[in-house]
Amino acid sequence: MPTSLLPVSSRPALRALHVAGATLCLALLAACGSSPPANISLPSQQSGATTKQGDVDVKSISWKRSKPGCKGDDCPRIEVDSVAFPAIPRLTQLVDHVLAYMTGTDQRLRGPYETLDEYATWFWKTAQPRDATYFKASVKDTVGDIIAIELHTQQYFAGAAHGIPATQYLNWQRTSGRVLALDEAIIPGRRDQYAAALRKVYDKWLAGNDDAKRDPATYARTFPYTESDNFALTRDGMVVKYDAYSIAPYSHGEPELTIPYSALVGVLKPEFLPAK
């Protein structure tokens, strides 16, 4: 069965930055052995505090650097605010790997990096003054067998009007030691019902969108509705994330819709619905 997440609907420029890369690296990790390499990039170098997220031990990772040898406000910069999982080293490896891939997927444009350590080495060689990349990973929720993780990158390029954000959710199944894809969570043949439930939540969100209310026809042409497979299973429902520019202007950030579990009964497999 597939272990990769399906592509998130987005505009081409943003999609090229992270979606295919996240899918590829998840597929690559599925082919790897169960043991990560001895050095799993930045997490292996840190001694941050370990806390509990639900019943999961989570270690904080904080790493900030400017380009070596560079001085002043124009220096390229990398900041990492991430997490590691002392009892689940393969998940730590995955988080590091996916964050690195979320910086770009076109092999003609991106460097030969697989981890954040390798990305930093490449970035220092290629970055322009004031370029910056911010990485963030956090546990969104822990529900039953699932650890839902939110991965976020923000890239700033010299001369650009604003940063380019990207967010990817991972739903880690503890018993199987792998990522859960959307079509694996849905009962076979019920994908249309998922689409209908998501559309209902979207329509409610759109009804409260002031930009859409001002000129519905133009808004619909500029930001047409699309489905998203970028989901996280939380105790409050299935959270579905959209890229910036996909269904709303940049000022709306990365829209997030929550489908209540009551709308997913008979759609999600029973093991992914919360106990009554």
Side-chain angles (χ1 to χ4, degrees):
M1 293 188 297
T3 60
S4 59
L5 297 180
L6 298 176
V8 181
S9 301
S10 66
R11 296 198 169 212
L14 289 179
R15 183 185 302 114
L17 281 171
H18 74 289
V19 177
T23 302
L24 174 61
C25 68
L26 288 170
L28 290 174
L29 192 70
C32 295
S34 59
S35 298
N39 183 339
I40 48 177
S41 193
L42 293 173
S44 66
Q45 302 176 16
Q46 305 302 314
S47 57
T50 298
T51 59
K52 284 282 189 181
Q53 296 283 338
D55 61 345
V56 180
D57 288 332
V58 181
K59 183 179 177 182
S60 61
I61 306 297
S62 181
W63 190 87
K64 299 180 181 181
R65 298 286 190 278
S66 293
K67 182 177 179 179
C70 182
K71 297 181 180 180
D73 296 335
D74 292 343
C75 294
R77 183 168 180 81
I78 296 174
E79 293 190 12
V80 178
D81 179 12
S82 187
V83 289
F85 300 87
I88 318 174
R90 196 161 182 249
L91 179 54
T92 301
Q93 179 193 16
L94 176 62
V95 169
D96 184 85
H97 194 41
V98 175
L99 281 174
Y101 261 90
M102 286 172 65
T103 58
T105 63
D106 191 329
Q107 294 295 332
R108 295 169 300 174
L109 302 177
R110 70 186 298 276
Y113 49 82
E114 304 290 337
T115 67
L116 293 182
D117 268 350
E118 293 172 355
Y119 173 78
T121 299
W122 175 85
F123 182 77
W124 301 141
K125 294 177 180 178
T126 60
Q128 301 298 310
R130 292 186 179 274
D131 283 359
T133 306
Y134 299 88
F135 298 96
K136 182 177 178 61
S138 60
V139 175
K140 190 170 184 67
D141 211 343
T142 58
V143 183
D145 191 40
I146 299 295
I147 304 172
I149 301 167
E150 181 172 333
L151 307 180
H152 181 77
T153 61
Q154 187 90 7
Q155 294 178 267
Y156 292 88
F157 299 103
H162 49 68
I164 300 175
T167 298
Q168 180 73 44
Y169 289 143
L170 303 178
N171 297 274
W172 180 263
Q173 289 183 279
R174 286 187 271 183
T175 53
S176 60
R178 61 195 293 277
V179 169
L180 177 72
L182 180 60
D183 283 336
E184 296 174 317
I186 294 174
I187 297 171
R190 305 291 173 86
R191 179 66 186 241
D192 288 346
Q193 286 92 324
Y194 161 78
L198 177 59
R199 183 59 190 254
K200 184 176 180 179
V201 173
Y202 166 82
D203 288 342
K204 183 178 179 179
W205 170 83
L206 191 66
N209 185 321
D210 290 338
D211 289 323
K213 288 188 288 185
R214 276 193 291 271
D215 189 346
T218 299
Y219 191 96
R221 288 195 303 270
T222 307
F223 303 103
Y225 171 74
T226 57
E227 287 183 31
S228 172
D229 293 350
N230 194 8
F231 76 103
L233 295 178
T234 76
R235 66 195 67 214
D236 297 323
M238 176 187 278
V239 179
V240 181
K241 194 79 168 179
Y242 282 86
D243 288 333
Y245 291 121
S246 58
I247 59 172
Y250 184 85
S251 59
H252 287 250
E254 299 171 274
E256 187 175 275
L257 308 178
T258 300
I259 308 174
Y261 285 119
S262 59
L264 295 171
V265 175
V267 179
L268 284 185
K269 294 177 181 178
E271 60 265 34
F272 301 120
L273 292 169
K276 295 183 179 179

